[in-house]
Amino acid sequence: MKEELSEFYNIFTGTKKDIESFMSILDPVINNAEDDHERLYYHHIYEEEEQRLSRLAELIPLIETFQAGKGGDFSPSNNTFNRLLQELNLEKFGLHNFVEHLDLALFQFKDAERQAKLSEMRGASHTSYQFVKEKLAGINERFETGYSDPHAHHDAHGDHLDHHAATPAQPAKPAGQKRSFTVGSLISK
């Protein structure tokens, strides 16, 4: 578990820096929005990432506590360990959302500088998400925490995050998937 904690620490401290960088991209867009819709759209994303920074401000020291051997044992009967697992599982979903926020930004920001920076963050975040998802599945199974991933349905049908990596404007359909109608697909453009 110590090795995994070290990897999680590196991922979440790196993610924290990427979130701050992303927010610095969004800040001038929000302040100079052409209309209320644009301002609200980016402000909503900004606030979600702001909340993640607050959660990371709690998670990172918690990881450090366990790395220093001060968190107690790694057992489901340890409340501090349970809190760590809950925070890690929550941040796995936070990484998932961050990748989606970066995808949304890639749809909007077409200049080369922002595209390059956002694409780099997106690639790193997607890799981190896949790693954290895999490691947490093993940890939850190993410690028999009873945790059931409420977002596992993404994987049951193929993780949609995998389909946007190269060209977010043209999301790919998983092989063999039939087209179905959704509320969004029925809206006339």
Side-chain angles (χ1 to χ4, degrees), residues 1 66 71-85 139-140 142-145:
M1 186 72 193
F66 276 92
D73 64 341
F74 297 109
S75 77
S77 63
N78 177 351
N79 289 336
T80 308
F81 179 64
N82 282 331
R83 181 171 165 240
L84 174 67
L85 288 179
I139 290 169
N140 288 322
R142 187 167 72 220
F143 290 103
E144 298 177 7
T145 62

Side-chain angles (χ1 to χ4, degrees), residues 86-110:
Q86 289 171 347
E87 294 292 333
L88 287 168
N89 280 292
L90 182 59
E91 276 314 299
K92 178 190 70 165
F93 184 63
L95 272 169
H96 176 274
N97 278 353
F98 186 49
V99 173
E100 288 188 337
H101 289 162
L102 292 168
D103 280 339
L104 289 169
L106 282 164
F107 279 115
Q108 297 297 319
F109 305 132
K110 299 297 184 188

Side-chain angles (χ1 to χ4, degrees), residues 111-128:
D111 58 281
E113 183 181 342
R114 286 189 289 189
Q115 278 279 316
K117 190 170 192 171
L118 292 168
S119 292
E120 182 182 325
M121 284 191 284
R122 196 250 183 242
S125 297
H126 181 262
T127 301
S128 294

